[in-house]
């Protein structure tokens, strides 16, 4: 997901995530990378989650693959098939453990 690393501050969104994962990055365009299995889905909003809508839900044996659209872009998410299943069109909230996020400069 492309984004921009801006000046950090106590009111900045995702400030904890940026502080823990930006390392030596300079302010400017960055790419945020998260593995599909590191995204957690929630029916209700929780702290540091963001809203999306499930576009597709595909059962593929041991996992279910979801394509989720958000204001920040599209996310590909996988969950074990034994977990709660969601249908296309479901409004959902996504969260990510800050330790699972990798940030890279865009050149």
């Amino acid at each position: 997901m492309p984004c921009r690393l801006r000046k950090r501050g106590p009111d900045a969104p995702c400030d904890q995530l940026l502080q823990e994962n930006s390392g030596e990055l300079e302010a400017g365009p960055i790419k945020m990378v998260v593995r599909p299995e590191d995204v957690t889905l929630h029916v209700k909003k929780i702290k540091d989650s963001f809203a999306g809508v499930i576009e597709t839900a595909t059962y593929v044996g041991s996992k279910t693959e979801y394509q989720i659209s958000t204001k920040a872009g599209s996310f590909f998410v996988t969950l074990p098939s034994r977990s709660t299943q969601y249908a296309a069109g479901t409004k959902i909230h996504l969260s990510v453990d800050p330790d699972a996020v990798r940030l890279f400069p865009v050149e």
Side-chain angles (χ1 to χ4, degrees), residues 15-59:
D15 190 51
Q16 177 186 1
L17 181 142
L18 292 174
Q19 286 180 6
E20 293 177 4
N21 294 288
S22 61
E24 299 297 318
L25 289 176
E26 298 293 327
I30 59 170
K31 181 175 269 194
M32 181 177 90
V33 179
V34 179
R35 294 185 59 82
E37 62 271 17
D38 289 334
V39 178
T40 304
L41 302 182
H42 311 274
V43 176
K44 295 182 179 181
K45 180 161 180 60
I46 66 166
K47 184 181 179 199
D48 295 330
S49 68
F50 52 100
V53 176
I54 295 177
E55 298 297 329
T56 62
T58 307
Y59 174 78

Side-chain angles (χ1 to χ4, degrees), residues 2-107:
C3 30
R4 181 169 285 280
L5 185 62
R6 295 184 290 202
K7 183 178 179 182
R8 298 181 209 130
D11 298 324
C14 302
D15 190 51
Q16 177 186 1
L17 181 142
L18 292 174
Q19 286 180 6
E20 293 177 4
N21 294 288
S22 61
E24 299 297 318
L25 289 176
E26 298 293 327
I30 59 170
K31 181 175 269 194
M32 181 177 90
V33 179
V34 179
R35 294 185 59 82
E37 62 271 17
D38 289 334
V39 178
T40 304
L41 302 182
H42 311 274
V43 176
K44 295 182 179 181
K45 180 161 180 60
I46 66 166
K47 184 181 179 199
D48 295 330
S49 68
F50 52 100
V53 176
I54 295 177
E55 298 297 329
T56 62
T58 307
Y59 174 78
V60 287
S62 63
K63 63 183 176 180
T64 302
E65 299 176 342
Y66 297 97
Q67 194 67 44
I68 302 172
S69 62
T70 73
K71 288 183 180 180
S74 183
F75 283 80
F76 177 72
V77 177
T78 62
L79 295 178
S81 293
R82 65 185 176 277
S83 65
T84 302
Q85 300 294 295
Y86 303 100
T90 301
K91 292 181 181 177
I92 204 82
H93 293 271
L94 296 81
S95 66
V96 178
D97 179 344
D99 290 334
V101 175
R102 299 294 171 255
L103 302 176
F104 300 96
V106 174
E107 298 177 14

